[in-house]
Amino acid sequence: MATTSRGNPLINQVWEKYKRYVSDFPETVSQIEATSRLLSYIIAGRFEDSQVFSELVYLASNLLVLVNDTIIKNASKYAQKIPLSAEKLKRFLTVLEYGEVFIEMAAYRKWGESGKWVLIVIIQLTKAIWRLLLLWKHHGGIQPIPPIAPLDREKYTKQYKHNPTEEMQEFQENLEGETEGEPVNGVNEMTFTLKRSGKTIRRLSAAPPINFRSWKLPGHGDSEKEKSQVLFYSPTKLSKQRLWGETLYIARPLIHLFGMYVCGTMSWKPWIMSGTIDVASLCMMGETKDMNPEEKKEIKRRSLLLLYYLLRSPFFDSYSKMKILSTLKVLADHVPGLGILLRPVIEYLPSWQKVYFYLWSA
């Protein structure tokens, strides 16, 4: 973050205290985030324009998670080395994708149907340009949605599970007599274990030159436990076929929007064109054996999202709408306990299906 000498000193002080709180109490922060997200579901349908306000609360909760994840990641000393410009693009894309549904709904309330579609085109064009920059300029490989996924905080916050004050006192006590610590794996001249916390510390006398220092303990760099803590994956270098397949996938929303503009929103041609592009893009990716786990997860997600075509117009209006609603109604009427869950879904599904970014964002 920027130095605290700039800006309002009070704001800087509050911000530093907030960062410290998030770093020291990640579980409490996660509970607050979950509560705010749950609130967005409770608000929906309660009053006029509640859907827009619900999306605003949901957007705020996602942005809160993004900010807190960044604080925890920076405080954990683990950081993936990527160019700053690529990091900014990913952050902007993530924020835009979190807010696109709210922007669509607000635009419809303010400017009507035509204003909504203008903003949809602007958002999809912006996302496509940024994703193509990540793909071609920064060699970002297969890009997940959103580009910055929520952090697996358990891996990053293990170092905060202890009492920092007590551990620092114990560390200072051991500095005066390092030989009182218990040797680790027979290398007592290199490390010692704090008696109360059990934490292993490198001896000052065993520290390597400053340009070769790392957070790994001597003799512990290859342990399976350490490998399982925080893993960063470099993007798989894409072949020409995969590169064009990813480019096709990124361009698909724009092609679909152009098709709807030319043929009409209820025409089958844009629906067929979009589905063909999605299938072709997946086929061009080929086998996933050489991809990293995050890329494999993204390819699997894209494959499952092909089911969304059952909910996308015109297929939904012509074939699946009545079948889905009637099936849900039968389950709600005849399966005990399901009615309280399914009846709101039955009422909300037609409205949900009309929101472009719910179905066509990715």
Side-chain angles (χ1 to χ4, degrees), residues 21 25-39 61 64-65 68 72 153:
Y21 181 86
F25 303 101
E27 294 88 356
T28 304
V29 171
S30 297
Q31 291 174 2
I32 295 172
E33 294 165 352
T35 302
S36 63
R37 186 165 295 171
L38 179 62
L39 181 63
S61 67
L64 181 63
V65 171
N68 291 339
I72 292 172
R153 293 181 181 177

Side-chain angles (χ1 to χ4, degrees), residues 80-83 85-87 89-90 93 129-148 233-239 242-243 246-247 250 285 291-292 294-296 298-299 302:
Q80 188 175 15
K81 295 181 179 179
I82 62 175
S85 56
E87 177 69 17
L89 279 176
K90 288 185 176 182
L93 260 173
I129 292 172
W130 286 352
R131 286 188 174 277
L132 289 173
L133 283 173
L134 285 171
L135 177 65
W136 289 92
K137 182 179 179 181
H138 298 286
H139 308 288
I142 297 171
Q143 300 170 40
I145 296 176
I148 301 178
Y233 299 103
S234 298
T236 301
K237 186 176 181 180
L238 301 181
S239 63
R242 284 179 171 176
L243 194 61
E246 184 68 8
T247 301
I250 293 171
M285 291 298 169
M291 296 181 185
N292 65 49
E294 292 177 352
E295 292 169 338
K296 290 179 180 179
E298 173 61 19
I299 294 298
R302 294 180 186 182

Side-chain angles (χ1 to χ4, degrees), residues 40 43-60 98-110 348 355 358:
S40 69
I43 292 173
R46 299 292 178 180
F47 51 88
E48 188 178 358
D49 289 336
S50 61
Q51 193 175 8
V52 179
F53 190 71
S54 172
E55 282 299 329
L56 178 60
V57 174
Y58 188 74
L59 167 61
Y98 282 156
E100 59 192 9
V101 174
F102 169 73
I103 294 172
E104 177 186 348
M105 290 182 176
Y108 179 75
R109 296 295 192 280
K110 182 70 175 177
Y348 186 64
V355 179
Y358 278 150

Side-chain angles (χ1 to χ4, degrees), residues 118-318:
V118 169
L119 275 180
I120 287 173
V121 171
I122 292 174
I123 290 173
Q124 291 289 41
L125 181 62
T126 302
K127 287 166 57 178
I129 292 172
W130 286 352
R131 286 188 174 277
L132 289 173
L133 283 173
L134 285 171
L135 177 65
W136 289 92
K137 182 179 179 181
H138 298 286
H139 308 288
I142 297 171
Q143 300 170 40
I145 296 176
I148 301 178
L151 203 64
D152 185 352
R153 293 181 181 177
E154 185 179 355
K155 294 181 179 180
Y156 283 83
T157 56
K158 287 181 179 179
Q159 59 183 309
Y160 300 118
K161 300 297 182 183
H162 60 274
N163 186 313
T165 304
E166 289 183 3
E167 188 169 291
M168 180 57 68
Q169 291 174 350
E170 187 179 356
F171 177 71
Q172 290 173 347
E173 291 172 4
N174 279 274
L175 285 179
E176 299 176 0
E178 290 183 345
T179 56
E180 295 180 3
E182 297 178 3
V184 180
N185 294 336
V187 288
N188 59 323
E189 71 280 358
M190 301 182 72
T191 61
F192 65 91
T193 302
L194 301 178
K195 293 179 180 179
R196 289 196 296 270
S197 67
K199 193 171 183 67
T200 304
I201 304 293
R202 186 201 301 270
R203 294 181 182 276
L204 294 178
S205 57
I210 190 169
N211 55 318
F212 291 105
R213 291 180 188 174
S214 70
W215 292 98
K216 295 181 181 180
L217 288 173
H220 289 66
D222 298 326
S223 68
E224 289 300 320
K225 182 179 179 181
E226 187 172 332
K227 286 182 179 180
S228 65
Q229 287 181 350
V230 179
L231 297 175
F232 296 116
Y233 299 103
S234 298
T236 301
K237 186 176 181 180
L238 301 181
S239 63
K240 284 188 177 181
Q241 178 175 307
R242 284 179 171 176
L243 194 61
W244 285 109
E246 184 68 8
T247 301
L248 197 60
Y249 180 81
I250 293 171
R252 189 264 300 160
L254 294 178
I255 297 172
H256 173 253
L257 284 172
F258 180 75
M260 287 200 298
Y261 175 76
V262 173
C263 304
T265 56
M266 295 304 295
S267 172
W268 281 93
K269 292 179 181 178
W271 186 89
I272 295 172
M273 191 184 308
S274 178
T276 303
I277 291 174
D278 275 339
V279 173
S281 174
L282 286 171
C283 292
M284 292 173 75
M285 291 298 169
E287 294 291 331
T288 61
K289 295 179 180 178
D290 59 332
M291 296 181 185
N292 65 49
E294 292 177 352
E295 292 169 338
K296 290 179 180 179
K297 183 178 178 181
E298 173 61 19
I299 294 298
K300 185 177 180 180
R301 186 193 70 85
R302 294 180 186 182
S303 300
L304 291 174
L305 281 182
L306 292 176
L307 294 174
Y308 265 36
Y309 280 93
L310 300 177
L311 298 173
R312 291 168 175 168
S313 296
F315 188 91
F316 178 78
D317 302 272
S318 302

